[in-house]
Each structure stands twice: as C-alpha cells, then as structure tokens.
Amino acid sequence: MSPWIYDPQSGGSKVPPQIFEALCKKAETFSSGRAWYPRIQLKLRFKNQFCYVDTVEEGDGRLLPLCRLRHLATDGWSLALFTYSNDRYAPCVFPDGKWEGTFEAALEVCDPFII
C-alpha cells in the first residue's frame, strides 16, 4: 500500500455559486488598479472546482486563457497558468513557495503575463 500524498493539483471542491459574484468583484477591483485596465479586462468562468480566468482586449471579443484556479477551501486555491506553447494549464507555485494561496495572490502571480 502506497502512502497518501497531498496533491493540490487534483481534486478540490465545487466553487459555491454564492461566491461567484464576490470573486468577480475581487477580479474587477484587482484590474482597476492596473495600467492595462480598461483596455484589457479579466473575465471569470466557473466549472465544478475550477475558476478559469481569461483576458479580453477592448475591441476584440476573443477570450484568451490566462490561468485556472482550483478551489480547495474557503480561501484556498491552487494555480495553473495557461501555456500557449502546448495549450495546457501548467501547475504554478505562489511567490511564498506554497502550492496554495488566496484568489488575490493568484491574480498577482498572473499580472506580469496579462500584457
């Protein structure tokens, strides 16, 4: 029998619909203080345990994937950045070296990749 190993890149719990609006407001608040806003905006999509963060540029209706957050706890998320070289989400650690962080910390990690 193999030992149990915690893996923040698997499992998770469904994102509760009652926090969708709060997360969208957090993304809007984060965006509004950035130099790339309002020319580029963040759009959130929710599916099961995932919150997908996409960007959309003014005048161009295409959604471009940025990252995928996996809901692990009330304020615990794991992060995977979208890699255009292979059209996949690649696991990413937070700046503190941990695999879990807050929604806002995940957006901070993504900030340099938005422009």
Side-chain angles (χ1 to χ4, degrees):
M1 182 169 158
S2 62
W4 180 82
I5 298 173
Y6 174 69
D7 181 7
Q9 297 300 326
S10 66
S13 58
K14 186 173 182 173
V15 181
Q18 58 268 30
I19 70 168
F20 289 2
E21 187 175 326
L23 292 174
C24 290
K25 285 182 182 179
K26 286 181 181 185
E28 179 68 24
T29 300
F30 174 84
S31 298
S32 64
R34 301 299 189 262
W36 41 262
Y37 180 85
R39 187 177 54 84
I40 299 172
Q41 294 183 7
L42 299 180
K43 300 293 180 187
L44 305 183
R45 298 179 288 126
F46 300 95
K47 184 174 181 182
N48 298 321
Q49 73 269 34
F50 298 116
C51 172
Y52 294 91
V53 181
D54 302 315
T55 62
V56 63
E57 192 165 351
E58 189 175 56
D60 182 3
R62 291 179 302 154
L63 292 176
L64 301 174
L66 179 62
C67 70
R68 180 188 69 201
L69 305 174
R70 182 184 300 268
H71 185 249
L72 301 171
T74 302
D75 204 24
W77 301 84
S78 66
L79 172 64
L81 296 175
F82 188 78
T83 59
Y84 284 90
S85 59
N86 62 8
D87 288 333
R88 289 186 168 168
Y89 290 94
C92 178
V93 294
F94 287 83
D96 62 4
K98 296 180 180 175
W99 285 102
E100 279 186 49
T102 64
F103 181 81
E104 295 86 353
L107 294 180
E108 287 287 341
V109 169
C110 295
D111 190 28
F113 301 103
I114 293 175
I115 296 182

